[in-house]
Amino acid sequence: MGIEPMGLRESKKQETRQLISDQATRLFIANGFEATTIAEIAAAARVAKKTVTNYFARKEDLAFDHREEFVEGLARTVSGRADRESALVALRREFLDGVGRHDPVIGFSGEVFARMIADSPTLLARLRDMHDQREAALAELLAAETGAAPDDITPRAAAAQLGGVHRVLFQQILERTLDGWSNERIAETVTVSARRAFDLLAGSLADYAVK
């Protein structure tokens, strides 16, 4: 028997992961996150329970399948900022671009999915944890990019402000989604909110972490 090409194996892994995620989301929406079991998800995806947990260490991660992109997104944006661009400018630009494409990572999840999150204390707690992880990842990146000393509070303070803006904007998108607003209407409103929120930080962070 020949060795299966790496590309094909990875493709099959991604297909399996997506299948499990899709079936989990379907069950979460139909029955509620808290009531749905890993065994039910495995049965729906026609895989073993161990396969589900191999791909998703925590049940909450089945709901937040963009978790890695969410947690690492701010740090990745700052790391890839243009020459002479500050962290603030890069994050503002990327967020507004995300609004334009109704990016689910910044909150454009759709009313059914948003309701599933809002109705689950476990998912709300996990979402808060993800916000904290995202802020910590940004602080670590800012410390490295600016050469800050280990006891310098500046990177953490800057990350708290920048992460806080993203946190409140995410919440606004979630609330408007739960109110039944269309993505287009939400995008119009949150664009105004984002510009206002990022402008509030200009006085202190306009020239911070310029590449």
Side-chain angles (χ1 to χ4, degrees), residues 65-76:
D65 57 343
H66 294 291
R67 176 191 167 277
E68 183 175 341
E69 187 178 354
F70 183 94
V71 170
E72 298 178 1
L74 303 189
R76 187 181 296 120

Side-chain angles (χ1 to χ4, degrees), residues 24-25 28 33 59-66 113 116 123:
T25 300
F28 292 156
F33 176 83
K59 181 181 168 185
E60 301 94 295
D61 294 336
L62 284 156
F64 294 118
D65 57 343
H66 294 291
F113 191 85
M116 178 190 76
L123 290 180

Side-chain angles (χ1 to χ4, degrees), residues 76-87:
R76 187 181 296 120
T77 294
V78 174
S79 178
R81 67 197 184 285
D83 288 340
R84 295 183 295 279
E85 189 173 51
S86 69

Side-chain angles (χ1 to χ4, degrees), residues 32-51:
F33 176 83
E34 311 293 347
T36 302
T37 67
I38 295 296
E40 289 170 337
I41 295 167
R46 297 185 178 181
V47 298
K49 283 177 62 177
K50 184 174 177 56
T51 301

Side-chain angles (χ1 to χ4, degrees), residues 161-187:
Q161 294 177 69
L162 293 164
V165 165
H166 285 81
R167 193 183 296 242
V168 298
L169 292 172
F170 186 100
Q171 184 64 29
Q172 184 180 54
I173 294 171
L174 181 64
E175 289 170 356
R176 297 297 179 267
T177 301
L178 291 171
D179 288 340
W181 288 26
S182 68
N183 281 345
E184 290 74 18
R185 187 181 176 194
I186 295 171

